[in-house]
Amino acid sequence: MGLTVASRWKQVAITLGCFLTYAVIAGVITQSGTMSAAMAENFQKPLTQATGLFTYFSTGNMLGYAVSLVIYEYLSLKRTLASCYAILIAVLASICLWDAWWSLPVLFFMAGLAAGLGLNTGAVTLSLLYNTRLRASMLLAADVCFTGAGVFVSPMTAYFIDQGYAWSFLFWILCGLSAVIIVVATVFTFPKTAKESNLAPQDGRMFSTVSVLCALGLFSYLFAQTCMLLWLPNYIEGGIKAGAVAISNYWMGMAVGQSCLVFMLTRIATKPVLMIIGAISVVLAAFLLIKTDTKTTQVLVMVLGLANAGIFKLSISYSAEQTSHPQRVVTFLLFAAAAGIAASPLISSQLVGRFGIYFGVQLVPVFTLVAVVLFYAAIATTKQSQEIYDHATSSSSH
């Protein structure tokens, strides 16, 4: 697929703008735990109520992914991106200036909607901007921006709050990053959507056998990952502090793994890497069922994060390789992943309430296995289809 930008430096500028969509949403999500205590103190509310406000943000994210399933039929990528971050700037500025408790549910929801749709637009743009060989690397590099932002944002928030700044002060920095995205979306020429390219639906179909299998796999994979983030800190020996270290180790492993894969995938095909790390992830997740000491579990979780690093974006990239225009497929898969994240707390909390916290940890290897089996099924389906095509071509030539 050829690039639609006039020169390499324009391509780089658009790529950096897309990376910022990941950093902005991470800037809200990763500081939620650090910010909530200061919010509760500022508004004289219980900590649980302050923390609960971020549910509105995640719900908005979910709706943003749902909107992205249809919006590109009506708006170009650049108009969608510019509109999302103009809305986000207005919402975040309102939170900072208004500082009214009653308005926060609506504002957090709107922020989540704009950020979710904006991230999806960034991912779709990257998938169209780069060819098959580089697409997986660029999507993984975007994830590195997400995890990298997570490393810096929470300590920065704690620092500013400790210095006496408002709990929402870091939102001003996110407004600045959003402004950069708007400039990029306004100045540069973006790839064309499927609608703008006048493609027939089958040329970029959303629901093929491969995409549906990968979507179900991503739902299961993100369901499993969210279960681990929710229940492992409450299950591990050593208490919440030890659990927090374990989760931090997981993200550290993810960041290292993603950084390595960014370079590896420029030389290695997506399919074998996805198959290998999928199998490794199942084995490592199974070890969570074995009761071990705190240090061992913390190291295990870091290695699991290292193995899990590429599953999300590799499965998206592999599915996108099977279509001539990956816009609809990428959007569909990101929505499926968001659905897995949203469903996990609701379903797992009911099961944990009935069977105990250990059951929540048991869900991790089970759903990881389901996810990898679905990815393997998608790969097998692709191979079978190719063999049928090759046989038909060979027969017709005779």
Side-chain angles (χ1 to χ4, degrees), residues 160-297:
F160 285 126
I161 290 173
D162 187 59
Q163 295 298 310
Y165 290 87
W167 62 271
S168 58
F169 180 78
L170 205 68
F171 284 170
W172 289 116
I173 296 177
L174 300 183
C175 285
L177 296 179
S178 298
V180 174
I181 296 172
I182 292 174
V183 171
V184 171
T186 303
V187 172
F188 297 106
T189 303
F190 272 57
K192 292 181 179 179
T193 63
K195 181 78 170 180
E196 291 172 320
S197 299
N198 295 317
L199 291 178
Q202 62 268 22
D203 292 332
R205 61 189 184 277
M206 188 183 301
F207 304 114
S208 65
T209 303
V210 173
S211 67
V212 170
L213 287 171
C214 284
L216 293 172
L218 280 175
F219 178 94
S220 300
Y221 166 66
L222 270 301
F223 189 100
Q225 179 178 270
T226 307
C227 282
M228 188 192 69
L229 299 176
L230 287 171
W231 304 115
L232 186 64
N234 297 284
Y235 173 73
I236 189 173
E237 290 184 355
I240 295 297
K241 287 186 177 180
V245 171
I247 299 304
S248 176
N249 287 352
Y250 178 79
W251 288 115
M252 186 182 300
M254 287 274 282
V256 173
Q258 288 166 352
S259 299
C260 293
L261 284 173
V262 165
F263 298 102
M264 288 175 57
L265 289 171
T266 60
R267 294 174 172 81
I268 304 175
T270 303
K271 182 171 71 174
V273 179
L274 177 59
M275 295 179 70
I276 291 169
I277 64 175
I280 294 173
S281 294
V282 172
V283 173
L284 291 172
F287 278 104
L288 291 176
L289 302 179
I290 302 173
K291 191 75 171 180
T292 59
D293 61 88
T294 302
K295 292 293 184 184
T296 301
T297 302

Side-chain angles (χ1 to χ4, degrees), residues 7 55 72 101 114 149 223 248 378 382:
S7 61
T55 301
Y72 307 125
W101 174 263
F223 189 100
S248 176
T382 308

